[in-house]
């Protein structure tokens, strides 16, 4: 396993180039959380109420703003205020997937103006390196960071083999802007250090019937070298208490990280 | 070359399963156009004015609604009215790229409610077959059609080899909803007939510096067996008269189709 995984997040911060990546790792150590919550609710009030409850326990709130029925700039202002109040970063899980010229517009403009408020966003690499270049032209001057999708946890994903390998090469090349990966494991043999964020984390269920497959925090952090667990319906699904669940997942993620540091 | 390419669009309509695909092919033959225009302008008034001018010459208008600064439901009502006035279909080039459960929400909900007005949309297959299944659950009951991205014209695209091959298999399996492909060429040896739409078409320039590469209508229609040419900045770029250019590209696309039919 990569020797950097024996180092604390706060130490690894020194080895990353992107300022936002450094700040995120430092925050995680200070706040003792490597939990990100994927908030996929569909109206402003529900999302803001949930985020205000779970904000103290997370390092990153992951959004899909294009599923919010009553999205407006007031939502962004309130979400930004919560990110300052509770100290977390906002990751818009846009999964950009178009050519460079188009993603520049999609990232900066339109109704959402994602680059103006999302500290982190992500993209697929299937269109070629131009997508990273295009997003970087917009995001780097604003101090933003980009995650690449090098693998996906969903059933039958085509991000494998040379697709994954080429994605890693582009991350190395653009490590001023690429802060890491959305993936189920840490990728070995990379020159630069990156942050790995793993979706599809659950403690109680195995799948959702539409191709999503779940794994535990211990599995992805200790066994697979990931850094941040992304939990969605496990936190706020029907019948769950989000505060209880956020604390439970925070603890599970942090325990797994501590176990990794201890080298057991 | 696939023998189906010697048949008129109106004949091929009989061989497709999806009702929208049949209607699109019939419209193309009747209106004598296989031109789609990619309208990437960023405000309502400009887009609607352009579409009203070029509507008579196109079979499909391709949109990126998430780059429109003043998007609202009035825009959709006006665009829909233009599609009825000039008889064309609306293709929202959303490039969905998430897991099934997420794309169902992104397609049906939020500010854009794409499924409620876009006759056609598209997706990447990188998340696995669940993305097609998820979109189909929303779109099929509404009479919509889906295009898959099996290849991309941008430089360094990772949609190659087994990625492309698996995408084709999913299209065959879901041909009740998948009407065809966004690709630079017709894919050989498929059981079912599909519509091929090719982006990156230009008569005057070769590239844009962010990875986009241009080809001519003759090259993609005659040599590569595509059906519909998608033209963007070639129609409405700086210094161009959109009506003149739309007529020019319509003629170039149709001539190429006629040449292919004649078997020269």
């Amino acid at each position: 396993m990569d020797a950097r995984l024996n180092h604390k997040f706060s130490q690894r911060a020194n080895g990353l180039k992107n300022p936002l990546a450094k700040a995120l790792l430092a925050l995680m150590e200070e706040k003792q959380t490597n939990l990100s919550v994927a908030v996929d609710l569909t109206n402003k009030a529900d999302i803001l109420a949930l985020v205000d409850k779970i904000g103290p326990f997370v390092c990153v709130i992951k959004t899909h703003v294009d599923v919010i029925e009553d999205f407006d700039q007031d939502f962004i202002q309130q979400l930004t205020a919560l990110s300052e109040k509770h100290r977390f970063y906002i990751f818009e899980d846009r999964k950009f997937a178009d050519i460079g010229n188009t993603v520049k517009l999609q990232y900066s403009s339109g109704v959402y103006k994602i680059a103006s408020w999302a500290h982190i966003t992500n993209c697929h690499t299937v269109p070629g390196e131009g997508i990273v270049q295009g997003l970087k032209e917009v995001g780097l001057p604003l101090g933003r960071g980009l995650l690449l999708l090098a693998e996906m946890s969903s059933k039958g994903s085509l991000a494998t083999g040379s697709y994954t390998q080429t994605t890693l090469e582009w991350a190395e090349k653009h490590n001023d802007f690429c802060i890491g990966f959305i993936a189920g494991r840490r990728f070995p043999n990379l020159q630069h250090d990156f942050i790995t964020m793993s979706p599809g984390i659950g403690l109680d269920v195995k799948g959702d019937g539409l191709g999503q497959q779940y794994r535990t925090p211990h599995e992805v952090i200790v066994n697979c070298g990931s850094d941040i667990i992304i939990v969605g319906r496990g936190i706020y699904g029907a019948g769950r208490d989000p505060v209880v669940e956020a604390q439970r997942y925070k603890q599970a993620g942090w325990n797994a990280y501590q176990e990794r540091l201890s080298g057991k």
Side-chain angles (χ1 to χ4, degrees), chain A:
Chain A
M1 175 100 24
D2 192 325
R4 288 173 288 211
L5 293 185
N6 297 325
H7 300 156
K8 286 187 174 184
F9 293 136
S10 50
Q11 290 174 277
R12 283 173 55 196
N14 301 320
L16 275 87
K17 193 166 180 180
N18 179 283
L20 181 77
K22 290 175 182 287
L24 171 57
L25 287 173
L27 174 77
M28 288 160 63
E29 194 68 37
E30 191 190 334
K31 209 172 157 182
Q32 302 212 344
T33 177
N34 55 351
L35 171 64
S36 170
V37 174
V39 179
D40 292 343
L41 303 176
T42 56
N43 76 73
K44 282 171 57 175
D46 289 349
I47 295 170
L48 294 167
L50 175 65
V51 170
D52 199 19
K53 281 184 193 164
I54 63 179
F57 313 110
V58 305
C59 57
V60 171
I61 288 287
K62 184 172 90 64
T63 56
H64 278 299
V65 290
D66 60 348
V67 307
I68 305 173
E69 297 291 342
D70 52 351
F71 175 92
D72 56 14
Q73 285 302 314
D74 170 70
F75 170 77
I76 292 304
Q77 284 170 23
Q78 291 199 55
L79 183 64
T80 300
L82 289 175
S83 85
E84 289 162 3
K85 174 183 172 186
H86 296 299
R87 295 190 307 143
F88 59 77
Y89 291 102
I90 305 169
F91 162 29
E92 167 59 20
D93 185 7
R94 173 58 175 78
K95 294 188 174 68
F96 288 106
D98 215 312
I99 60 173
N101 196 66
T102 299
V103 295
K104 284 177 70 171
L105 281 172
Q106 292 174 321
Y107 187 26
S108 62
S109 309
V111 170
Y112 296 130
K113 303 184 201 327
I114 294 167
S116 74
W117 54 266
H119 304 100
I120 303 167
T121 192
N122 60 351
C123 78
H124 286 291
T125 48
V126 57
E129 190 181 344
I131 188 171
V132 178
Q133 193 66 45
L135 292 169
K136 187 159 91 169
E137 288 178 18
V138 172
L140 195 61
L142 297 171
R144 305 310 186 194
L146 180 71
L147 297 163
L148 299 185
L149 287 127
E151 285 182 349
M152 293 186 79
S153 62
S154 44
K155 192 175 171 185
S157 167
L158 303 180
T160 60
S162 63
Y163 184 112
T164 301
Q165 198 53 46
T166 305
T167 302
L168 301 182
E169 287 165 20
W170 290 338
E172 297 260 35
K173 181 172 171 186
H174 297 279
N175 80 318
D176 51 347
F177 186 51
C178 293
I179 67 172
F181 305 98
I182 299 290
R185 61 178 177 120
R186 184 174 178 89
F187 297 106
N189 307 318
L190 294 181
Q191 181 192 346
H192 299 102
D193 195 5
F194 292 98
I195 299 168
T196 309
M197 297 183 63
S198 296
I201 305 298
L203 288 166
D204 308 309
V205 292
K206 289 291 177 193
D208 74 350
L210 278 171
Q212 175 70 294
Q213 299 164 107
Y214 294 102
R215 297 195 299 159
T216 66
H218 186 276
E219 192 176 341
V220 295
I221 301 284
V222 179
N223 301 351
C224 300
S226 181
D227 299 310
I228 296 175
I229 55 170
I230 305 176
V231 186
R233 287 164 268 177
I235 300 279
Y236 55 84
R240 297 186 193 276
D241 179 332
V243 171
V244 170
E245 296 296 338
Q247 289 175 307
R248 179 175 168 233
Y249 276 96
K250 175 191 182 232
Q251 202 57 52
W254 199 253
N255 286 349
Y257 163 64
Q258 292 291 330
E259 184 178 333
R260 187 174 81 195
L261 282 183
S262 75
K264 274 182 199 163

